Amino acid sequence: MTAALDGEIQNGRHVMAIRVYYEDTDFSGIVYHANFLRFMERGRTNYLRLLGAEQSALFAEASAEASGAFSSEVGTGSREENATNQKSSFAFVVRSMQIEFLKPARMDDILTVTTVPHEVKGASMGLTQEVRRGDELLIAAKVKVAFVSEGRARPIPKALRLLMKADQDADVRD
């Protein structure tokens, strides 16, 4: 059931459908512009989840790397170990976003949010995101996200960087 909710990764792209509800619109039935940011956040979060990088696992991996103990897999460790390591407060945060609002979406539209990594560096990654209604491009965005702990950038766990790099390579081959 989660795969349907989280979308899927196709050829290096995360693709996820979202239905526009009344609560997403303004008084005229048009999607309020800030809600597109929420839709894209869901796309980024679900992309990471489908890579196997749930937040609790990232906390554990980053904590291990910060202390000098490197793991070859994202998501290692028990649920309890991951919960203990969450005290480190690691998170992905949006550092910058360039966004173009090209066309409106309306109540009951079925939108497709696409997320593609285009650059993965030590502590940050660049993503391209689009929101479409069918073939019609509504929103185009470039997002730079940083991996931080206690207000400072930290390296993205190696296993996750490698998974995202694989997705970049798949996108280039297509």
Side-chain angles (χ1 to χ4, degrees), residues 54-64 81-83 85-92 147-148 157:
E54 295 183 24
Q55 292 295 337
S56 61
L58 285 177
F59 294 147
E61 179 82 10
S63 293
E81 288 170 327
N82 292 338
N85 288 327
Q86 286 184 8
K87 294 175 185 169
S88 299
S89 301
F90 287 95
F92 277 108
F147 193 67
V148 299

Side-chain angles (χ1 to χ4, degrees), residues 79-144:
R79 186 175 289 226
E80 293 77 19
E81 288 170 327
N82 292 338
T84 300
N85 288 327
Q86 286 184 8
K87 294 175 185 169
S88 299
S89 301
F90 287 95
F92 277 108
V93 297
V94 173
R95 183 168 182 260
S96 65
M97 180 180 278
Q98 296 174 319
I99 186 166
E100 291 189 52
F101 296 92
L102 303 170
K103 295 184 178 182
R106 294 178 173 77
M107 191 167 57
D108 288 329
D109 282 352
I110 303 295
L111 307 178
T112 302
V113 178
T114 305
T115 304
V116 182
H118 61 82
E119 178 181 60
V120 180
K121 293 184 179 179
S124 68
M125 65 178 158
L127 301 155
T128 301
Q129 290 192 279
E130 294 180 344
V131 179
R132 293 180 175 269
R133 179 180 46 233
D135 291 333
E136 191 174 25
L137 180 62
L138 307 180
I139 305 292
K142 298 271 188 201
V143 185
K144 186 164 191 170

